[in-house]
Amino acid sequence: MRIAVGADHAGWPLKETLVNYLIDKGWDVEDFGTFGPESVDYPDYANKVALAVANGDAERGLLICGSGQGMCIVANKTQGVRASLAHDVVSARLARQHNDANVLTMGARFVAPELAEEILSVWLDTPYEGGRHARRLEKIEQIERRNL
């Protein structure tokens, strides 16, 4: 599975940790940056990752900023992206099981590296349940098409 990754300057240190974690676990990673602590605008990186997921260049995306909120908002502007903010393992698991989230966002100011690795691992390993949730995802897709 290919994972597109991006972060702003606040998320950059945690992104580096998680990219190394993913590579060590054998995942195929495309890192869209940022690559240092210089101030950047999070929408630029969220958009790159969201487009990679929406276009099928990556199956999943990971975005990190200070709070995780900005990245989540931007990613969800892209049709076909279901981004979810997770600061704990339960929300990460439910985002996959119930919402088939294909982009995970985290806030580097709220999640320690060890917990971030656990959240990411659970999110990557949890399958979508389908069933009663499929009807709701179809409604989301209808809204996306209607609002183009």
Side-chain angles (χ1 to χ4, degrees), residues 24-74:
D24 287 347
K25 295 290 183 182
W27 296 98
D28 182 15
V29 176
E30 183 169 359
D31 188 345
F32 286 95
T34 192
F35 299 104
E38 298 78 24
S39 182
V40 296
D41 297 329
Y42 65 84
D44 300 334
Y45 300 91
N47 189 54
K48 290 176 186 179
V49 169
L51 287 173
V53 173
N55 294 334
D57 297 328
E59 287 79 17
R60 302 264 185 98
L62 171 64
L63 292 165
I64 306 159
C65 62
S67 70
Q69 296 284 10
M71 292 289 201
C72 192
I73 290 167
V74 174

Side-chain angles (χ1 to χ4, degrees), residues 88-98 122-123 126-127:
D88 59 69
V89 171
V90 173
S91 58
R93 181 178 299 111
L94 290 174
R96 287 289 309 133
Q97 287 176 333
H98 294 187
V122 165
W123 184 76
T126 300

Side-chain angles (χ1 to χ4, degrees), residues 103-122:
V103 173
L104 173 67
T105 71
M106 284 192 262
R109 294 184 179 125
F110 300 99
V111 181
E114 298 79 20
L115 177 57
E117 289 176 357
E118 187 178 0
I119 290 168
L120 180 57
S121 178
V122 165

